[in-house]
Amino acid sequence: MARYRYCCRLRNLLLCVCTPFCCLLLFFTYAAVTISMSLNVVSSRPQVQVTNKPEKANNVILPVIPATFWEHHSSAFWNQLQRAVDYHFNPILYSESRNRSAIVHLGDSLLNKSFFEVTSMGHMKKKLEELPPAMQKYVSHMQRRSYPVLIQPDRACGAKARREDQTPFILFAIKSSELNIKNRQAIRQTWGQVGWVQGQKNSSNKEEEKVGGYVRRVFLLGKDNSQFSSPDLTELLKAENRRYGDILQWDFEDTFFNLTLKDVLFWSWFSRNCGQTLFVFKGDDDVFVNTPKLISYLHGELKKPHAQTTMKEFMIGDVIGNAMPIRGETSKYFVPDSFYKGIYPSYAGGGGVVYSGHLARRLHHISKTVHLYPIDDVFVGMCMLRLNALPIHHPAFLTFDFSEKDIEQPCLYHTILLVHKRSPEELLRLWAELKKTQTQCRDVPLRAPVTKKISLEPPS
């Protein structure tokens, strides 16, 4: 009995001594595990500040990282490239002493660094080998943005009138190809004529008598390496440029995926050569533009309150919002999900878009922080979103032509600013009709703008 009581006392003593110790040990173990897990979660998160307001450091506008339109944690090739760049553009990382040139240089080096890091990954090499041949070819040179100029205009900023005595109002920058000689010639004779262009006057507004502006023109070309190329084509282009002074050609292969290069190289050229040019029309060589109406419309935009501020991000066209990549392999817009995952930012498509000269220079700088994308209109939308800006939708930019009920409408072409897909012969005919009916159709308004709400936020 005494022995039993002794064992009970010993057990109670051990419980009194060991229980607090065991509880303390369990507590520290739990705490250590919790802290470790928290640190792992924090370190795995992208160190990017999501903001809808541009940050400033020493009066320099830093790249804005808006709510991401592409899937941030996707293993798709472009997503991984851009994620590596975006991590470095957290405004917290910038010191007050950094200037714009340092930021732009940082963007250049990061684009190259991220490209070679991602393409050297073992699993990524295998993924790239599975891409369609055209996409593989594009990836092989998509990090390159510097190409020699083969032909350039005689004048600083494209073809112009000899006696131009005012700031150029608009530069028509038209994407063309070596073989499209008829398209270029039709544009020169119609809506793309250089010199002073009178805006479309309204009979009830006397002030519009003075509305007009100087137009300049440049055609943007790459090098056609197809089987249809002629050995003498380069000499013909040089002769064409000697006569008209409006050819700007770079030494890269002129393919659909390389159209994005025409944007970034043009922005660079424009920033160096075009000074105070107010507006840029960037479009294809198979569109019809109502130039007098466009000039009147842009003058109206300049007269609006706070125009000096809004011109910093002014872009107008047929805006497509929340579009998804085309996954059909037969489409020329086909982008496999192994290359890109996510939605597209809002962008202006349809063959033509107008933006301010100020915005063109801003796009030149910000494009150095965005990896090239094989669809040019989408890439411009990506750069716009990076500037925390959105294009303006206007129904007078027609992507898909007129509807059947519109065809018989009188003064039809006086209601639009641009319509896509017109042949050289149609351009000549339409321009003649536009001039012929200018008086009787002078008061016909443009297609009424429809409020089109576009958000910087991706859809849930």
Side-chain angles (χ1 to χ4, degrees):
M1 192 67 166
R3 185 175 180 180
Y4 174 75
R5 284 197 298 270
Y6 173 77
C7 289
C8 288
R9 288 175 183 174
L10 182 60
R11 184 191 62 186
N12 292 337
L13 179 63
L14 289 173
L15 286 173
C16 292
V17 174
C18 294
T19 299
F21 176 77
C22 292
C23 290
L24 195 61
L25 182 62
L26 288 172
F27 172 77
F28 279 115
T29 302
Y30 172 78
V33 171
T34 302
I35 292 171
S36 177
M37 291 177 65
S38 299
L39 289 174
N40 287 336
V41 171
V42 171
S43 64
S44 66
R45 288 175 181 168
Q47 302 301 305
V48 177
Q49 180 175 338
V50 177
T51 176
N52 281 331
K53 294 182 179 180
E55 300 291 335
K56 292 187 178 181
N58 197 23
N59 294 323
V60 177
I61 298 178
L62 302 177
V64 175
I65 309 299
T68 313
F69 50 91
W70 42 278
E71 291 184 13
H72 208 79
H73 295 287
S74 171
S75 61
F77 177 63
W78 192 94
N79 300 50
Q80 291 207 27
L81 289 178
Q82 193 60 37
R83 183 171 65 234
V85 174
D86 281 2
Y87 283 178
H88 289 271
F89 281 105
N90 186 334
I92 298 173
L93 300 177
Y94 288 93
S95 66
E96 292 294 323
S97 62
R98 280 198 177 154
N99 56 28
R100 179 178 291 275
S101 61
I103 295 170
V104 170
H105 177 71
L106 178 63
D108 285 337
S109 61
L110 282 174
L111 289 173
N112 288 325
K113 181 182 178 182
S114 63
F115 181 85
F116 289 111
E117 284 181 351
V118 173
T119 53
S120 63
M121 297 177 182
H123 71 282
M124 189 55 68
K125 287 182 179 179
K126 184 177 180 180
K127 184 175 291 188
L128 293 177
E129 290 173 356
E130 296 173 353
L131 291 174
M135 187 68 75
Q136 286 187 39
K137 185 175 181 180
Y138 174 76
V139 169
S140 69
H141 63 264
M142 68 174 286
Q143 84 283 6
R144 184 180 174 187
R145 300 189 182 206
S146 178
Y147 291 87
V149 175
L150 299 176
I151 303 174
Q152 58 185 327
D154 296 333
R155 307 282 182 172
C157 187
K160 69 172 186 176
R162 291 182 180 180
R163 298 183 180 179
E164 185 179 290
D165 58 2
Q166 292 181 17
T167 299
F169 188 76
I170 189 167
L171 169 67
F172 287 125
I174 305 147
K175 293 181 177 181
S176 188
S177 61
E178 289 185 338
L179 294 171
N180 287 5
I181 299 172
K182 287 185 177 181
N183 298 60
R184 292 194 292 276
Q185 194 60 23
I187 289 171
R188 292 182 183 113
Q189 295 175 21
T190 58
W191 59 265
Q193 296 177 43
V194 299
W196 178 266
V197 175
Q198 179 69 49
Q200 178 121 359
K201 305 175 198 174
N202 188 307
S203 59
S204 63
N205 192 341
K206 298 296 182 181
E207 292 184 6
E208 289 195 2
E209 293 289 335
K210 300 179 181 179
V211 169
Y214 279 102
V215 172
R216 291 192 178 190
R217 180 187 64 237
V218 65
F219 290 100
L220 312 176
L221 285 75
K223 189 73 177 166
D224 190 349
N225 293 328
S226 72
Q227 58 181 329
F228 303 106
S229 294
S230 166
D232 299 323
L233 212 52
T234 298
E235 293 305 316
L236 288 174
L237 281 172
K238 288 180 178 178
E240 186 178 349
N241 189 52
R242 283 194 296 270
R243 181 173 182 180
Y244 299 106
D246 58 4
I247 302 293
L248 179 55
Q249 184 186 33
W250 296 274
D251 191 13
F252 65 82
E253 188 175 0
D254 208 340
T255 63
F256 176 71
F257 283 170
N258 280 345
L259 288 176
T260 305
L261 282 173
K262 292 186 179 181
D263 282 293
V264 296
L265 292 171
F266 167 70
W267 292 334
S268 177
W269 176 85
F270 180 88
S271 299
R272 292 192 311 269
N273 295 285
C274 293
Q276 302 301 312
T277 303
L278 295 178
F279 293 99
V280 173
F281 167 86
K282 189 268 293 183
D284 298 337
D285 64 3
D286 62 348
V287 300
F288 177 80
V289 179
N290 186 338
T291 307
K293 207 88 167 186
L294 177 61
I295 287 177
S296 294
Y297 174 80
L298 294 175
H299 270 286
E301 292 297 303
L302 290 174
K303 292 178 182 178
K304 287 184 177 181
H306 313 295
Q308 188 172 1
T309 300
T310 58
M311 283 299 127
K312 293 179 181 178
E313 55 186 45
F314 178 82
M315 178 181 284
I316 189 166
D318 181 13
V319 177
I320 301 166
N322 293 334
M324 299 294 291
I326 303 297
R327 303 303 190 192
E329 296 185 14
T330 58
S331 171
K332 72 175 183 177
Y333 300 99
F334 167 60
V335 175
D337 57 7
S338 59
F339 182 85
Y340 176 87
K341 280 191 177 180
I343 63 168
Y344 285 153
S346 299
Y347 64 92
V353 61
V354 176
Y355 47 82
S356 68
H358 191 148
L359 178 60
R361 288 181 280 274
R362 295 181 69 207
L363 287 168
H364 167 56
H365 287 292
I366 206 67
S367 67
K368 295 173 183 291
T369 68
V370 183
H371 275 283
L372 294 182
Y373 196 77
I375 300 176
D376 56 336
D377 296 341
V378 173
F379 176 77
V380 176
M382 292 173 173
C383 293
M384 284 289 285
L385 192 59
R386 203 63 180 270
L387 289 173
N388 202 33
L390 288 171
I392 304 165
H393 177 74
H394 199 296
F397 287 79
L398 297 188
T399 300
F400 302 109
D401 215 329
F402 298 99
S403 64
E404 290 185 6
K405 66 179 181 179
D406 289 332
I407 298 300
E408 301 301 323
Q409 180 182 335
C411 302
L412 182 61
Y413 282 85
H414 292 268
T415 67
I416 56 99
L417 295 174
L418 173 146
V419 63
H420 201 190
K421 296 296 183 184
R422 293 294 184 269
S423 68
E425 294 75 20
E426 287 175 314
L427 290 188
L428 294 170
R429 178 179 59 81
L430 290 171
W431 187 251
E433 290 180 4
L434 198 73
K435 292 293 184 182
K436 184 179 179 180
T437 58
Q438 197 161 24
T439 300
Q440 69 188 70
C441 298
R442 66 192 305 177
D443 295 327
V444 174
L446 288 173
R447 294 182 167 224
V450 178
T451 302
K452 193 170 182 178
K453 292 185 178 180
I454 301 171
S455 174
L456 287 170
E457 302 288 335
S460 57

